[in-house]
Every structure is written in structure tokens, then in C-alpha cells.
Amino acid sequence: MEEQRGQWGSTFGFLMAAIGSAVGLGNIWGFPYKMGKCGGGAFLLVYLLLVIFVGFATMLGELALGRKYGRGAVGTYAAIGKKWTWVGYMGVASGFFILAFYSVLGGMVLRYMIGFIMQIFGGSGFEGLGGGDFFGSFTTNAAGMMAYYAIFMAVNIIIVAGGIEGGIEKFTKIAMPALAAILIVVIIYVACQPGAGEGYKFAFVPDFSILTTDFFTVLKTAAGQMFFSLSLGMGCMITYGSYLGKEQNLESNMIIIPIADTCFAICAAMAVLPACAAFGQEYGAGPGLLFITLHEVFNVGMGGFIGNLMGFLFYFLVFLAAITSSISLLEVCTAYLIDKQIEKGKEPDRKKLTITIAAIIFLVGIPVALDGLGAGRAGGAVLDIPATFLGVTENIPMAIDCWLDFYDCISEGIMMPLGAAIMSIIIGWVIGTKVVADEVAETPGVKLRAVAIMDICFKFIVPAIMVVVLIAQIQDFF
């Protein structure tokens, strides 16, 4: 079965793929703007505590279950007990819907990257428009959105169809070091800009007043960001864990991946927040931070050749981060089809299965590309938002204000925190933390330390935090 599914070729290759899955738009885009919205240093402190008490345990649980049963999310939960199979389907569905909108955003990142390349060589990469005007023009351009969406999805297909070692591992072993190098260059350049110091102060000097006035908002935002960033609750780490050999040290991996992911997130904040401070832009500009605020920073604030060069490097950085995450989402869905073929006694055709599932995801994501990210037909897009289809015209909840938020509500808002909570309950109360400890000990010379602490995390801390996140997400979306 291992030969039919594939395995990681090296520990380094697995770590680059797993860290790449974690490091994506959630780090480079989501983390800085959520940090900016939730008090900077205070948000960072809460985030770090959640990684320690929730992230480590959940990462270990998913990797251990994946390696123990050697299957994707659905097969893993079915092996635990048939009554839990639906939890696996929920993980695959999360990855499915996330990739449907994530790839549209990835295509947009590609367009911005190309725009700065065009300007480096004297072209008009953004049609002479400012950040907000170009964003509105491009998102309502159906042909442009669809074209870049298709290109981004095609890149994912090529990598995942290449297999575990020959595709995903081969790509991430090059992409992740390149991503780190580009991020360092951007950080150094931004640090030299007048006024950047205010951004560092905001990021690393905690203002605890927000924790006394709005602690619940900070907690739910930090927890949601952590789970999305670490690719937890969507089957990615179970699937990646299923390709691990027994010689791989699960305990060290559970520590390295969250720490590396958090370091990338902090580095992204060190690039974005000081840049906003230096060029007079808002820290917490929300989703517009990536496509409007930072476009203004590079295109207008810096300007000239340097502005175009740094803009290209930054969006190339974001593009690499987006790809390393999206291929893990596509692999979750592809692995499900491969496992089903193996169960039927058939030889799986990875390329055919990858193209098939990617084509279905692409079709489902088309509404995200065509509604102008919420503009609807009234705003110049070719497709209306979900609320219009449902006949809701007033007090439109976020869950149906655009197709992206609709899919995000289904996946990140509901299925991810619910799946993570159930996974921790299964480990803590059904099969027992000892199963995870025993799987860790399958590696010669390795023994899980702090088993008692892990037991408390699985039984109480992770489920409690996930229930809080689930309730908060439902409140936000509705």
C-alpha cells in the first residue's frame, strides 16, 4: 500500500512540505492584519500561548493518527471506528471548499506579481490605477479573474500529480528556502525605512488594555488564525502523516512545524506592519491589506524601480506561500480518491485522480471568481452574491455576503473547529492518549514526554478552545 500511495523521501522533505502547508496566505496576509486589528503585541502573546497548549497537541494527534493507520482523513477515522467516518469526510470537505476560494485568491496574487514585473520593464502593470481602483476593476473583470484562477489551479495539479516525493516534496524543498530568503530581504529593506520603528513597537510591545476590554475577540481571532495557519482540522496533517515512515520522530516534528510556522508568521508581521507604519497605512486594514494597502505601499509609497522590485519580491513570496499550502489541500482530496481505489483493489492513477478532483474544485470555485468578491452584479460583476439568490436584501450576514465568505463559513467557520474538537475528544476519551504515545514510541529510541500534559490538552483544553472558536465563528458569520 505504501508503494501505491507514496512516502516522503527524507525528514527534511517532509518538514518542508508540512511547514509549507502551514505557511500560506494565513501567515503572510492573515496574521499581520489580524495582529493589527487585535492589539499587536497582545494578540501575539495570546497566539503563542494557544500554539503551546493547543497547537502542539493537535499537530501531534493528527500526525500520529495519519501514520498509525497509513490513510487519509476518511480512511483514518473509519479505521478508528465506522461511526467516526463522517469526521474524516468533514476534513476532506473543509479542504475542498477552502481550496475552491483559496485558489481564486492565489490567482489574484499571481496577477499582482505579474503587474510589478511589467512595471519593472516599463509597462503599465496596474493600468495607472490606485490600489482601491485597480482592486475593484480587476475583481469585476470576469475573464481576468478566471484566467489567473485557472493558472493557479494548473500549477497545483502539476505539483500534486507528480506524487509525494517527486512532486510535493521536490517542490517544497526548493520553494520553502526561497520563501525564507525573500522574506528576509523584504524585512531588511522595510526595516531601513523612516518610521518603520513604530510598526515594530506596535507588534512587539503589548498593549494589555485590549485584553481587559475585548479579550474574547482576541482569543477567538488568535485561535481561528492558529488552526487555519497550521492546517489543522482540515485533514492536511493526517494525510501528510500517512506518508511518514516509522523512522520519523513524531515528537520532534510536532514541535518543529508549529515553531517554524509561527516564526514565518512573526517575520511576515515584521515585513508588513513596519511597512504600513513607514508609509502611513492602517495596520488592521482587513482583507484589503494584501491587495489594496500593500499595493499602495509598493506602487506609490516606495515607487520607482525599488518599489516595483520590492512589490514583485513580496507578491512572489506570497505566491510561493499560497502554493505550498494549496497543494496540501489538493493532496487531501486526491488522497481520499487514491485510498478508495486501493480499497477496491485497483491500481490508482494519481495523475488522473488529481486532475479529476481539481476540475471539480475548480467548477465549485467559479462563483468566487465571478461575484467580484462581494460586489455582485450591482457592482459590475457577472454573478450575484449568495444573499441575492436567497432573496435576502437587508441586514445581510457575512456568511452570505459573497461566495468566498459562504465557502469560508462552511469550512473554516464550522467544519474545521468542529472536526478538531471531535478529533481531540476521540483521542482523549475514546481511544486514549496512550495510542498517540505508543505511535510516537514506534520510532526506535523515541518516547513521548509530558504524556500527562498531552492527556489534559486532548481531554479538556483543545475541545474547550475549539467550542469557543466554533461559537465565535458562528456569531461572526451570522
Side-chain angles (χ1 to χ4, degrees):
M1 185 171 177
E2 289 178 358
E3 293 180 0
Q4 292 176 302
R5 299 182 80 253
Q7 270 197 311
W8 302 110
S10 65
T11 299
F12 178 74
F14 160 69
L15 287 174
M16 290 300 97
I19 294 169
S21 175
V23 176
L25 291 177
N27 292 71
I28 311 298
W29 170 29
F31 189 86
Y33 94 71
K34 289 176 183 177
M35 194 174 180
K37 186 176 70 173
C38 296
F43 172 87
L44 178 60
L45 179 61
V46 173
Y47 184 89
L48 293 175
L49 290 173
L50 286 169
V51 169
I52 293 170
F53 290 104
V54 179
F56 286 147
T58 310
M59 178 66 67
L60 177 63
E62 294 202 358
L63 290 176
L65 291 179
R67 190 177 76 169
K68 178 178 176 60
Y69 296 106
R71 303 176 189 176
V74 174
T76 292
Y77 283 104
I80 293 172
K82 292 295 183 181
K83 64 181 179 181
W84 302 113
T85 305
W86 66 275
V87 183
Y89 278 113
M90 194 161 57
V92 174
S94 294
F96 182 98
F97 283 108
I98 290 172
L99 186 56
F101 70 77
Y102 197 94
S103 295
V104 175
L105 295 175
M108 292 176 63
V109 171
L110 179 61
R111 171 62 182 91
Y112 277 70
M113 183 183 82
I114 291 175
F116 280 107
I117 293 176
M118 292 171 65
Q119 293 192 162
I120 287 175
F121 292 99
S124 179
F126 300 102
E127 304 166 6
L129 300 175
D133 290 336
F134 178 77
F135 178 79
S137 172
F138 179 60
T139 54
T140 54
N141 179 348
M145 289 288 285
M146 287 296 296
Y148 284 100
Y149 173 34
I151 293 171
F152 187 86
M153 185 64 80
V155 173
N156 280 270
I157 292 172
I158 292 169
I159 296 170
V160 174
I164 301 305
E165 185 176 357
I168 296 174
E169 181 174 347
K170 186 176 181 180
F171 174 76
T172 53
K173 283 169 72 173
I174 298 172
M176 290 309 297
L179 192 156
I182 295 170
L183 185 53
I184 291 171
V185 171
V186 174
I187 289 172
I188 292 173
Y189 180 79
V190 169
C192 297
Q193 304 307 303
E198 285 301 312
Y200 293 116
K201 182 179 178 181
F202 175 79
F204 298 113
V205 178
D207 177 7
F208 293 112
S209 62
I210 193 170
L211 298 183
T212 58
T213 59
D214 209 2
F215 175 75
F216 185 70
T217 297
V218 176
L219 176 64
K220 70 179 183 181
T221 304
Q225 168 64 25
M226 181 199 66
F227 261 75
F228 186 81
S229 177
L230 288 175
S231 298
L232 299 173
M234 60 180 85
C236 289
M237 290 303 154
I238 291 178
T239 303
Y240 273 16
S242 71
Y243 303 125
L244 284 171
K246 297 297 184 181
E247 74 281 359
Q248 299 281 354
N249 189 329
L250 294 180
E251 185 180 47
S252 64
N253 289 339
M254 87 154 178
I255 296 172
I256 292 171
I257 297 168
I259 287 179
D261 174 73
T262 302
C263 287
F264 269 104
I266 293 173
C267 286
M270 290 173 63
V272 172
L273 298 179
C276 290
F279 296 98
Q281 301 292 329
E282 292 183 23
Y283 296 128
L289 177 66
L290 180 60
F291 297 113
I292 299 176
T293 304
L294 289 172
H295 174 249
E296 286 289 306
V297 166
F298 297 118
N299 200 43
V300 180
M302 293 183 186
F305 175 78
I306 291 297
N308 290 327
L309 177 61
M310 298 309 297
F312 161 70
L313 287 175
F314 180 80
Y315 283 102
F316 182 48
L317 159 74
V318 180
F319 176 74
L320 287 177
I323 285 289
T324 58
S325 286
S326 59
I327 57 177
S328 70
L329 296 169
L330 182 55
E331 179 59 27
V332 168
C333 301
T334 302
Y336 165 68
L337 297 182
I338 289 174
D339 288 347
K340 294 296 287 184
Q341 291 289 85
I342 294 173
E343 287 176 11
K344 294 177 181 178
K346 298 180 180 180
E347 181 71 25
D349 184 337
R350 171 175 277 272
K351 292 182 180 179
K352 181 179 178 180
L353 295 176
T354 302
I355 293 171
T356 299
I357 193 65
I360 296 171
I361 294 171
F362 181 82
L363 292 174
V364 172
I366 287 176
V368 180
L370 296 184
D371 80 336
L373 297 189
R377 295 178 69 180
V382 301
L383 187 70
D384 277 321
I385 63 175
T388 303
F389 283 97
L390 295 173
V392 180
T393 57
E394 297 181 3
N395 300 319
I396 299 174
M398 189 170 71
I400 55 174
D401 67 356
C402 68
W403 287 97
L404 189 155
D405 283 340
F406 178 63
Y407 291 163
D408 191 25
C409 173
I410 295 171
S411 54
E412 184 185 0
I414 297 174
M415 291 193 290
M416 277 178 58
L418 181 59
I422 294 172
M423 186 274 290
S424 63
I425 291 171
I426 289 173
I427 293 176
W429 297 98
V430 179
I431 62 176
T433 307
K434 187 177 182 298
V435 170
V436 172
D438 288 345
E439 183 58 35
V440 171
E442 286 287 315
T443 302
V446 177
K447 183 179 180 180
L448 180 62
R449 291 162 287 186
V451 176
I453 295 176
M454 283 292 171
D455 193 51
I456 293 172
C457 289
F458 284 123
K459 286 183 175 178
F460 305 107
I461 298 177
V462 177
I465 294 295
M466 286 303 96
V467 169
V468 170
V469 172
L470 178 61
I471 293 172
Q473 295 278 45
I474 292 173
Q475 288 178 341
D476 282 347
F477 278 107
F478 293 98

